[in-house]
Amino acid sequence: MLKEFQEFISKGNVMDLAVGVIIGAAFGKIVESLVNDIIMPIVGAIFGGL
């Protein structure tokens, strides 16, 4: 298992994984901001602030 892990690291997949995690986190923050600042006020105004 350790040998397979070393081969995985040496192939550069770790860098791709790290970039994917960073992009995913940034995309999550963008969606969260969009929902909190744009969508929820509209929904609150329609439903009377439930």
Side-chain angles (χ1 to χ4, degrees):
M1 181 174 162
L2 184 60
K3 183 180 177 185
E4 291 176 5
F5 182 69
Q6 288 174 343
E7 289 175 7
F8 172 75
I9 289 175
S10 66
K11 288 182 184 176
N13 292 339
V14 173
M15 185 62 79
D16 294 339
L17 180 63
V19 170
V21 168
I22 292 170
I23 290 173
F27 184 72
K29 288 291 183 183
I30 291 170
V31 170
E32 180 182 352
S33 177
L34 176 71
V35 169
N36 288 337
D37 297 337
I38 296 175
I39 296 175
M40 287 310 292
I42 295 170
V43 171
I46 291 172
F47 292 106
L50 290 177

Short mmCIF file of all heavy atoms in Angstrom, two decimals:
data_model
loop_
_atom_site.label_atom_id
_atom_site.label_comp_id
_atom_site.label_asym_id
_atom_site.label_seq_id
_atom_site.Cartn_x
_atom_site.Cartn_y
_atom_site.Cartn_z
N MET A 1 0.83 -1.20 0.00
CA MET A 1 0.00 0.00 0.00
C MET A 1 0.88 1.26 0.00
O MET A 1 0.58 2.21 -0.70
CB MET A 1 -0.90 -0.02 1.23
CG MET A 1 -1.83 1.16 1.32
SD MET A 1 -2.95 0.95 2.71
CE MET A 1 -3.50 2.60 2.91
N LEU A 2 1.94 1.23 0.78
CA LEU A 2 2.84 2.38 0.83
C LEU A 2 3.50 2.61 -0.53
O LEU A 2 3.64 3.75 -0.97
CB LEU A 2 3.90 2.16 1.92
CG LEU A 2 4.87 3.31 2.15
CD1 LEU A 2 4.10 4.56 2.56
CD2 LEU A 2 5.87 2.93 3.22
N LYS A 3 3.86 1.52 -1.21
CA LYS A 3 4.48 1.64 -2.53
C LYS A 3 3.50 2.26 -3.53
O LYS A 3 3.87 3.13 -4.32
CB LYS A 3 4.94 0.27 -3.01
CG LYS A 3 5.66 0.30 -4.33
CD LYS A 3 6.10 -1.08 -4.77
CE LYS A 3 6.74 -1.02 -6.12
NZ LYS A 3 7.08 -2.34 -6.65
N GLU A 4 2.25 1.84 -3.48
CA GLU A 4 1.24 2.42 -4.38
C GLU A 4 1.02 3.90 -4.08
O GLU A 4 0.84 4.70 -4.99
CB GLU A 4 -0.07 1.66 -4.23
CG GLU A 4 -0.03 0.25 -4.77
CD GLU A 4 -1.33 -0.50 -4.50
OE1 GLU A 4 -2.27 0.11 -3.99
OE2 GLU A 4 -1.38 -1.69 -4.83
N PHE A 5 1.06 4.25 -2.80
CA PHE A 5 0.89 5.65 -2.43
C PHE A 5 2.04 6.49 -2.95
O PHE A 5 1.84 7.60 -3.45
CB PHE A 5 0.76 5.78 -0.91
CG PHE A 5 0.54 7.18 -0.43
CD1 PHE A 5 -0.66 7.83 -0.70
CD2 PHE A 5 1.53 7.85 0.27
CE1 PHE A 5 -0.86 9.13 -0.27
CE2 PHE A 5 1.33 9.14 0.70
CZ PHE A 5 0.14 9.79 0.44
N GLN A 6 3.28 5.97 -2.86
CA GLN A 6 4.43 6.70 -3.37
C GLN A 6 4.34 6.86 -4.89
O GLN A 6 4.69 7.91 -5.42
CB GLN A 6 5.71 5.96 -2.99
CG GLN A 6 6.04 6.06 -1.52
CD GLN A 6 7.23 5.21 -1.11
OE1 GLN A 6 7.63 4.30 -1.84
NE2 GLN A 6 7.77 5.48 0.07
N GLU A 7 3.85 5.85 -5.57
CA GLU A 7 3.66 5.97 -7.02
C GLU A 7 2.59 7.00 -7.35
O GLU A 7 2.73 7.77 -8.30
CB GLU A 7 3.28 4.62 -7.61
CG GLU A 7 4.40 3.61 -7.61
CD GLU A 7 3.96 2.23 -8.08
OE1 GLU A 7 2.80 2.11 -8.52
OE2 GLU A 7 4.77 1.30 -8.01
N PHE A 8 1.53 7.04 -6.56
CA PHE A 8 0.47 8.03 -6.77
C PHE A 8 1.01 9.44 -6.60
O PHE A 8 0.72 10.33 -7.40
CB PHE A 8 -0.66 7.76 -5.76
CG PHE A 8 -1.73 8.80 -5.75
CD1 PHE A 8 -2.67 8.87 -6.75
CD2 PHE A 8 -1.81 9.71 -4.71
CE1 PHE A 8 -3.67 9.82 -6.74
CE2 PHE A 8 -2.80 10.67 -4.68
CZ PHE A 8 -3.73 10.72 -5.70
N ILE A 9 1.82 9.65 -5.55
CA ILE A 9 2.39 10.98 -5.31
C ILE A 9 3.33 11.37 -6.45
O ILE A 9 3.32 12.51 -6.92
CB ILE A 9 3.13 11.00 -3.96
CG1 ILE A 9 2.11 10.94 -2.83
CG2 ILE A 9 3.99 12.23 -3.82
CD1 ILE A 9 2.73 10.83 -1.45
N SER A 10 4.13 10.42 -6.92
CA SER A 10 5.14 10.74 -7.93
C SER A 10 4.52 11.04 -9.30
O SER A 10 5.16 11.64 -10.14
CB SER A 10 6.14 9.60 -8.05
OG SER A 10 5.51 8.44 -8.56
N LYS A 11 3.29 10.64 -9.53
CA LYS A 11 2.66 10.88 -10.83
C LYS A 11 2.13 12.30 -10.99
O LYS A 11 1.72 12.69 -12.06
CB LYS A 11 1.50 9.90 -11.04
CG LYS A 11 1.95 8.49 -11.30
CD LYS A 11 0.76 7.60 -11.54
CE LYS A 11 1.19 6.15 -11.70
NZ LYS A 11 0.05 5.25 -11.84
N GLY A 12 2.10 13.09 -9.92
CA GLY A 12 1.61 14.45 -10.02
C GLY A 12 0.13 14.57 -9.75
O GLY A 12 -0.45 15.65 -9.87
N ASN A 13 -0.52 13.47 -9.41
CA ASN A 13 -1.95 13.53 -9.14
C ASN A 13 -2.26 14.32 -7.88
O ASN A 13 -3.35 14.86 -7.73
CB ASN A 13 -2.53 12.12 -9.00
CG ASN A 13 -2.51 11.37 -10.32
OD1 ASN A 13 -2.43 11.97 -11.37
ND2 ASN A 13 -2.56 10.05 -10.24
N VAL A 14 -1.30 14.39 -6.96
CA VAL A 14 -1.52 15.14 -5.72
C VAL A 14 -1.71 16.62 -6.04
O VAL A 14 -2.56 17.28 -5.46
CB VAL A 14 -0.35 14.92 -4.74
CG1 VAL A 14 -0.48 15.81 -3.53
CG2 VAL A 14 -0.29 13.46 -4.33
N MET A 15 -0.92 17.14 -6.98
CA MET A 15 -1.05 18.54 -7.36
C MET A 15 -2.42 18.79 -7.99
O MET A 15 -3.07 19.79 -7.70
CB MET A 15 0.06 18.94 -8.33
CG MET A 15 0.06 20.40 -8.67
SD MET A 15 0.33 21.47 -7.23
CE MET A 15 2.08 21.32 -7.06
N ASP A 16 -2.87 17.89 -8.85
CA ASP A 16 -4.20 18.02 -9.45
C ASP A 16 -5.28 17.99 -8.38
O ASP A 16 -6.24 18.76 -8.44
CB ASP A 16 -4.44 16.91 -10.46
CG ASP A 16 -3.51 17.00 -11.66
OD1 ASP A 16 -2.99 18.10 -11.91
OD2 ASP A 16 -3.32 15.96 -12.32
N LEU A 17 -5.10 17.10 -7.41
CA LEU A 17 -6.07 17.00 -6.32
C LEU A 17 -6.10 18.29 -5.50
O LEU A 17 -7.17 18.78 -5.15
CB LEU A 17 -5.72 15.80 -5.43
CG LEU A 17 -6.63 15.55 -4.24
CD1 LEU A 17 -8.05 15.22 -4.71
CD2 LEU A 17 -6.09 14.41 -3.40
N ALA A 18 -4.93 18.84 -5.21
CA ALA A 18 -4.85 20.08 -4.43
C ALA A 18 -5.52 21.23 -5.18
O ALA A 18 -6.27 22.02 -4.59
CB ALA A 18 -3.40 20.42 -4.13
N VAL A 19 -5.28 21.34 -6.46
CA VAL A 19 -5.91 22.39 -7.27
C VAL A 19 -7.42 22.21 -7.28
O VAL A 19 -8.18 23.17 -7.14
CB VAL A 19 -5.33 22.40 -8.70
CG1 VAL A 19 -6.14 23.30 -9.61
CG2 VAL A 19 -3.88 22.83 -8.68
N GLY A 20 -7.87 20.97 -7.40
CA GLY A 20 -9.31 20.70 -7.38
C GLY A 20 -9.95 21.07 -6.06
O GLY A 20 -11.04 21.64 -6.04
N VAL A 21 -9.27 20.79 -4.97
CA VAL A 21 -9.81 21.15 -3.65
C VAL A 21 -9.90 22.66 -3.50
O VAL A 21 -10.90 23.19 -3.02
CB VAL A 21 -8.94 20.53 -2.54
CG1 VAL A 21 -9.28 21.12 -1.18
CG2 VAL A 21 -9.11 19.02 -2.52
N ILE A 22 -8.87 23.37 -3.94
CA ILE A 22 -8.87 24.83 -3.83
C ILE A 22 -9.98 25.43 -4.69
O ILE A 22 -10.71 26.33 -4.25
CB ILE A 22 -7.50 25.40 -4.22
CG1 ILE A 22 -6.46 25.00 -3.17
CG2 ILE A 22 -7.55 26.91 -4.39
CD1 ILE A 22 -5.04 25.29 -3.58
N ILE A 23 -10.13 24.96 -5.91
CA ILE A 23 -11.19 25.46 -6.79
C ILE A 23 -12.56 25.14 -6.21
O ILE A 23 -13.48 25.96 -6.25
CB ILE A 23 -11.02 24.89 -8.21
CG1 ILE A 23 -9.78 25.50 -8.87
CG2 ILE A 23 -12.25 25.16 -9.07
CD1 ILE A 23 -9.42 24.87 -10.20
N GLY A 24 -12.71 23.93 -5.67
CA GLY A 24 -13.98 23.56 -5.06
C GLY A 24 -14.34 24.43 -3.87
O GLY A 24 -15.49 24.83 -3.70
N ALA A 25 -13.36 24.75 -3.04
CA ALA A 25 -13.61 25.61 -1.89
C ALA A 25 -14.00 27.01 -2.34
O ALA A 25 -14.93 27.62 -1.79
CB ALA A 25 -12.38 25.66 -1.00
N ALA A 26 -13.32 27.53 -3.35
CA ALA A 26 -13.64 28.86 -3.85
C ALA A 26 -15.04 28.87 -4.47
O ALA A 26 -15.81 29.82 -4.25
CB ALA A 26 -12.61 29.30 -4.88
N PHE A 27 -15.38 27.84 -5.22
CA PHE A 27 -16.71 27.76 -5.82
C PHE A 27 -17.78 27.67 -4.74
O PHE A 27 -18.84 28.29 -4.86
CB PHE A 27 -16.78 26.56 -6.75
CG PHE A 27 -18.08 26.44 -7.49
CD1 PHE A 27 -18.39 27.33 -8.50
CD2 PHE A 27 -19.00 25.46 -7.16
CE1 PHE A 27 -19.59 27.23 -9.19
CE2 PHE A 27 -20.20 25.36 -7.83
CZ PHE A 27 -20.50 26.24 -8.85
N GLY A 28 -17.49 26.94 -3.68
CA GLY A 28 -18.44 26.84 -2.56
C GLY A 28 -18.69 28.19 -1.92
O GLY A 28 -19.83 28.53 -1.58
N LYS A 29 -17.65 28.98 -1.74
CA LYS A 29 -17.81 30.32 -1.16
C LYS A 29 -18.61 31.22 -2.09
O LYS A 29 -19.42 32.04 -1.64
CB LYS A 29 -16.44 30.94 -0.88
CG LYS A 29 -15.73 30.32 0.28
CD LYS A 29 -16.43 30.65 1.57
CE LYS A 29 -15.67 30.09 2.75
NZ LYS A 29 -16.35 30.33 4.01
N ILE A 30 -18.39 31.11 -3.38
CA ILE A 30 -19.13 31.93 -4.34
C ILE A 30 -20.61 31.58 -4.29
O ILE A 30 -21.47 32.46 -4.26
CB ILE A 30 -18.56 31.74 -5.76
CG1 ILE A 30 -17.17 32.36 -5.85
CG2 ILE A 30 -19.49 32.33 -6.81
CD1 ILE A 30 -16.42 32.03 -7.12
N VAL A 31 -20.94 30.30 -4.27
CA VAL A 31 -22.34 29.88 -4.21
C VAL A 31 -22.97 30.31 -2.89
O VAL A 31 -24.10 30.79 -2.87
CB VAL A 31 -22.44 28.35 -4.41
CG1 VAL A 31 -23.85 27.86 -4.12
CG2 VAL A 31 -22.03 27.97 -5.81
N GLU A 32 -22.22 30.17 -1.80
CA GLU A 32 -22.75 30.57 -0.49
C GLU A 32 -23.05 32.07 -0.46
O GLU A 32 -24.10 32.50 0.03
CB GLU A 32 -21.73 30.23 0.60
CG GLU A 32 -22.16 30.60 1.99
CD GLU A 32 -21.10 30.31 3.03
OE1 GLU A 32 -20.08 29.67 2.69
OE2 GLU A 32 -21.29 30.72 4.18
N SER A 33 -22.17 32.87 -1.00
CA SER A 33 -22.37 34.32 -1.05
C SER A 33 -23.56 34.66 -1.94
O SER A 33 -24.37 35.53 -1.60
CB SER A 33 -21.12 35.00 -1.57
OG SER A 33 -21.32 36.38 -1.70
N LEU A 34 -23.69 33.99 -3.07
CA LEU A 34 -24.80 34.23 -3.97
C LEU A 34 -26.13 33.94 -3.29
O LEU A 34 -27.07 34.74 -3.36
CB LEU A 34 -24.65 33.36 -5.22
CG LEU A 34 -25.80 33.40 -6.23
CD1 LEU A 34 -25.79 34.74 -6.94
CD2 LEU A 34 -25.66 32.28 -7.24
N VAL A 35 -26.20 32.82 -2.59
CA VAL A 35 -27.44 32.44 -1.91
C VAL A 35 -27.76 33.41 -0.79
O VAL A 35 -28.89 33.90 -0.66
CB VAL A 35 -27.34 30.99 -1.39
CG1 VAL A 35 -28.49 30.67 -0.45
CG2 VAL A 35 -27.32 30.01 -2.55
N ASN A 36 -26.77 33.73 0.05
CA ASN A 36 -27.02 34.58 1.21
C ASN A 36 -27.33 36.02 0.85
O ASN A 36 -28.15 36.67 1.51
CB ASN A 36 -25.82 34.55 2.16
CG ASN A 36 -25.69 33.23 2.88
OD1 ASN A 36 -26.67 32.49 3.02
ND2 ASN A 36 -24.49 32.92 3.33
N ASP A 37 -26.68 36.56 -0.18
CA ASP A 37 -26.81 37.97 -0.49
C ASP A 37 -27.84 38.30 -1.56
O ASP A 37 -28.31 39.43 -1.64
CB ASP A 37 -25.45 38.53 -0.92
CG ASP A 37 -24.42 38.45 0.19
OD1 ASP A 37 -24.83 38.38 1.36
OD2 ASP A 37 -23.22 38.43 -0.12
N ILE A 38 -28.17 37.36 -2.42
CA ILE A 38 -29.07 37.65 -3.54
C ILE A 38 -30.37 36.85 -3.44
O ILE A 38 -31.46 37.41 -3.51
CB ILE A 38 -28.36 37.38 -4.88
CG1 ILE A 38 -27.18 38.35 -5.03
CG2 ILE A 38 -29.33 37.52 -6.04
CD1 ILE A 38 -26.32 38.12 -6.25
N ILE A 39 -30.26 35.54 -3.28
CA ILE A 39 -31.45 34.69 -3.35
C ILE A 39 -32.29 34.79 -2.08
O ILE A 39 -33.51 34.94 -2.14
CB ILE A 39 -31.05 33.24 -3.67
CG1 ILE A 39 -30.41 33.20 -5.06
CG2 ILE A 39 -32.25 32.31 -3.58
CD1 ILE A 39 -29.85 31.85 -5.44
N MET A 40 -31.66 34.70 -0.90
CA MET A 40 -32.41 34.68 0.35
C MET A 40 -33.19 35.97 0.62
O MET A 40 -34.32 35.91 1.10
CB MET A 40 -31.51 34.33 1.53
CG MET A 40 -31.11 32.87 1.54
SD MET A 40 -32.48 31.70 1.38
CE MET A 40 -33.33 31.96 2.92
N PRO A 41 -32.64 37.17 0.33
CA PRO A 41 -33.47 38.37 0.51
C PRO A 41 -34.74 38.38 -0.36
O PRO A 41 -35.79 38.83 0.09
CB PRO A 41 -32.54 39.52 0.13
CG PRO A 41 -31.18 38.98 0.39
CD PRO A 41 -31.26 37.52 0.04
N ILE A 42 -34.62 37.86 -1.57
CA ILE A 42 -35.79 37.79 -2.45
C ILE A 42 -36.81 36.82 -1.89
O ILE A 42 -38.01 37.11 -1.83
CB ILE A 42 -35.35 37.40 -3.88
CG1 ILE A 42 -34.47 38.49 -4.48
CG2 ILE A 42 -36.57 37.13 -4.76
CD1 ILE A 42 -33.81 38.10 -5.78
N VAL A 43 -36.34 35.64 -1.45
CA VAL A 43 -37.24 34.64 -0.88
C VAL A 43 -37.88 35.18 0.40
O VAL A 43 -39.07 35.01 0.64
CB VAL A 43 -36.49 33.31 -0.60
CG1 VAL A 43 -37.34 32.35 0.19
CG2 VAL A 43 -36.04 32.69 -1.91
N GLY A 44 -37.09 35.89 1.22
CA GLY A 44 -37.62 36.49 2.45
C GLY A 44 -38.68 37.53 2.16
O GLY A 44 -39.69 37.62 2.89
N ALA A 45 -38.49 38.32 1.12
CA ALA A 45 -39.47 39.35 0.77
C ALA A 45 -40.75 38.70 0.25
O ALA A 45 -41.86 39.18 0.54
CB ALA A 45 -38.89 40.29 -0.29
N ILE A 46 -40.63 37.63 -0.49
CA ILE A 46 -41.82 36.96 -1.04
C ILE A 46 -42.63 36.29 0.07
O ILE A 46 -43.85 36.42 0.10
CB ILE A 46 -41.40 35.93 -2.11
CG1 ILE A 46 -40.85 36.66 -3.33
CG2 ILE A 46 -42.57 35.04 -2.50
CD1 ILE A 46 -40.22 35.72 -4.37
N PHE A 47 -41.95 35.60 0.96
CA PHE A 47 -42.65 34.84 2.00
C PHE A 47 -42.79 35.58 3.31
O PHE A 47 -43.18 34.98 4.32
CB PHE A 47 -41.96 33.49 2.22
CG PHE A 47 -42.08 32.55 1.07
CD1 PHE A 47 -41.01 32.30 0.23
CD2 PHE A 47 -43.29 31.94 0.79
CE1 PHE A 47 -41.12 31.43 -0.84
CE2 PHE A 47 -43.42 31.08 -0.29
CZ PHE A 47 -42.34 30.82 -1.10
N GLY A 48 -42.48 36.84 3.35
CA GLY A 48 -42.70 37.65 4.54
C GLY A 48 -41.71 37.39 5.66
O GLY A 48 -42.03 37.57 6.83
N GLY A 49 -40.49 37.01 5.32
CA GLY A 49 -39.44 36.86 6.32
C GLY A 49 -39.61 35.67 7.24
O GLY A 49 -39.34 35.74 8.42
N LEU A 50 -40.05 34.55 6.71
CA LEU A 50 -40.18 33.34 7.53
C LEU A 50 -38.82 32.87 8.02
O LEU A 50 -37.90 32.79 7.30
CB LEU A 50 -40.82 32.21 6.71
CG LEU A 50 -42.30 32.41 6.38
CD1 LEU A 50 -42.79 31.24 5.51
CD2 LEU A 50 -43.13 32.44 7.65
#
